[in-house]
C-alpha cells in the first residue's frame, strides 16, 4: 500500500489543509451547494418533479455529474416526495442506492422525478429518476428507504 499516493489523491500534506477548510464550512452547506439552480416544476401527493442545468461545480474529475451529487439529490428530493405524501417528518436514511446508467455533463438540462413508493407509519421508500430533458433518456435511478420516527402516543 502506497500511503503517499493516497495522500496525493486526497491532496493532503503535513498541514492537512483540507481539514482546516472543511472545519470552517457552515452546517448544512451541502444542500445549497448541490441544489442551487434547481427548479421545482411539479408537486403532487407523493411526487416531485424538478429540473436543472448541470453546473460545473457538480462535476467529477471526468467532467461528468458527480455520483455523490446524484446520491445527495436522491436523498433530498426523495425526502421532498415523502413530505409531499403527507409525512410530518422524513426520518433518517436506512438504505440508499443509485444505479448510474450513463454520464451527464455540464450545462445539460435534466429532469429529476421523485416518487414515493410507500409512506407507512415507520418506513418510507422512494424512487428518484434522472433524465435528459432533451431526449427523456434515463441516466441514473435512485432508491431510498427512510425510517420515519414514530410519534409517541403519550
Amino acid at each position: 500500500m502506497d500511503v503517499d499516493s493516497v495522500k496525493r489523491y486526497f491532496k493532503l500534506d503535513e498541514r492537512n489543509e483540507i481539514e482546516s477548510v472543511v472545519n470552517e464550512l457552515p452546517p448544512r452547506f451541502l444542500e445549497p451547494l448541490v441544489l442551487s439552480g434547481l427548479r421545482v416544476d411539479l408537486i403532487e401527493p407523493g411526487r416531485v418533479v424538478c429540473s436543472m442545468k448541470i453546473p460545473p461545480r457538480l462535476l467529477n474529475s471526468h467532467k461528468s455529474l458527480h455520483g455523490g451529487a446524484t446520491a445527495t439529490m436522491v436523498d433530498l428530493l426523495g425526502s421532498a416526495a415523502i413530505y409531499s405524501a403527507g409525512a410530518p417528518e422524513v426520518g433518517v436514511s436506512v438504505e440508499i442506492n443509485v444505479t448510474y446508467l450513463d454520464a451527464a455533463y455540464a450545462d445539460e438540462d435534466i429532469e429529476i422525478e421523485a416518487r414515493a413508493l410507500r409512506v407507512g407509519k415507520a418506513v418510507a421508500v422512494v424512487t428518484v429518476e434522472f433524465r435528459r430533458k432533451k431526449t427523456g433518456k434515463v441516466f441514473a435511478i435512485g432508491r431510498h428507504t427512510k425510517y420515519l420516527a414514530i410519534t409517541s402516543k403519550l
Side-chain angles (χ1 to χ4, degrees):
M1 175 169 70
D2 184 1
V3 174
D4 290 332
S5 295
V6 174
K7 285 182 178 180
R8 278 193 305 277
Y9 174 75
F10 286 122
K11 296 179 175 78
L12 296 175
D13 60 18
E14 289 75 36
R15 296 179 312 244
N16 200 355
E17 291 177 13
I18 290 177
E19 184 176 337
S20 64
V21 170
V22 170
N23 287 339
E24 298 302 316
L25 293 170
R28 296 189 62 161
F29 81 95
L30 192 59
E31 289 91 338
L33 176 72
V34 173
L35 297 182
S36 181
L38 185 83
R39 294 176 303 279
V40 177
D41 299 324
L42 176 70
I43 299 175
E44 297 176 342
R47 182 174 175 236
V48 176
V49 179
C50 300
S51 58
M52 74 183 311
K53 184 178 287 237
I54 298 174
R57 72 177 177 279
L58 297 183
L59 301 182
N60 60 25
S61 60
H62 299 286
K63 299 190 181 348
S64 61
L65 181 60
H66 195 288
T70 305
T72 299
M73 286 189 264
V74 169
D75 182 5
L76 299 173
L77 299 178
S79 295
I82 293 169
Y83 269 130
S84 75
E89 296 289 329
V90 294
V92 296
S93 298
V94 173
E95 175 267 341
I96 190 166
N97 172 281
V98 184
T99 302
Y100 303 95
L101 304 168
D102 199 1
Y105 299 96
D107 298 323
E108 275 194 81
D109 287 313
I110 64 171
E111 184 174 73
I112 308 155
E113 181 176 2
R115 289 181 179 267
L117 301 177
R118 181 180 194 283
V119 179
K121 293 178 184 172
V123 174
V125 179
V126 297
T127 185
V128 182
E129 193 173 87
F130 295 77
R131 318 182 257 276
R132 289 183 169 76
K133 234 178 179 182
K134 189 174 185 179
T135 64
K137 182 179 178 184
V138 175
F139 65 88
I141 299 173
R143 189 174 127 138
H144 195 187
T145 304
K146 296 193 97 173
Y147 170 72
L148 306 175
I150 299 172
T151 307
S152 172
K153 295 183 181 181
L154 297 178

